[in-house]
Amino acid sequence: MQIGRVCGTVVSTLKHPALHGHRLLLVQPHDPHGVRVGETTLALDVVDAGVGDWVLLVDEGSSASLVLGTRRGPVRTVIVGVLDAVQVPPDTRPGAAIDSPTRG
């Protein structure tokens, strides 16, 4: 599992049948301190996340298949949760934990 922040949307006129009813979003992975790590990735949204939301990602094919309820899904990365906050013990690094006021 990874933490990420939704940074954009993707529009697709044609989708695999297993993806119908779900949005495709661009997500930038972050570490627990809010520092960007890795490359922006495309993720299937199953929890109604929006641009700017901090999210929880699974990035593994069999986990994505379980979430979609398919034997072998056409997707690897799925947004499985919207995060309200991430608290990091202060002794791991001075600085702020992720705190998102985008959800009420």
Side-chain angles (χ1 to χ4, degrees):
M1 289 195 171
Q2 294 178 320
I3 295 170
R5 190 160 202 180
V6 178
C7 57
T9 60
V10 175
V11 177
S12 174
T13 55
L14 295 174
K15 287 185 185 178
H16 187 282
L19 305 182
H20 286 292
H22 300 293
R23 293 185 312 151
L24 297 171
L25 298 176
L26 293 172
V27 179
Q28 172 63 58
H30 287 70
D31 71 10
H33 303 285
V35 177
R36 293 178 183 183
V37 292
E39 298 293 323
T40 301
T41 188
L42 181 66
L44 188 71
D45 176 29
V46 298
V47 296
D48 199 27
V51 173
D53 283 344
W54 289 98
V55 295
L56 187 62
L57 305 167
V58 292
D59 186 25
E60 197 272 322
S62 63
S63 296
S65 293
L66 286 171
V67 170
L68 292 173
T70 61
R71 189 170 145 217
R72 183 172 174 154
V75 66
R76 176 185 168 98
T77 308
V78 179
I79 298 170
V80 295
V82 176
L83 302 176
D84 294 321
V86 174
Q87 296 180 346
V88 180
D91 59 341
T92 60
R93 176 184 152 209
I98 296 170
D99 188 12
S100 174
T102 60
R103 294 281 174 160

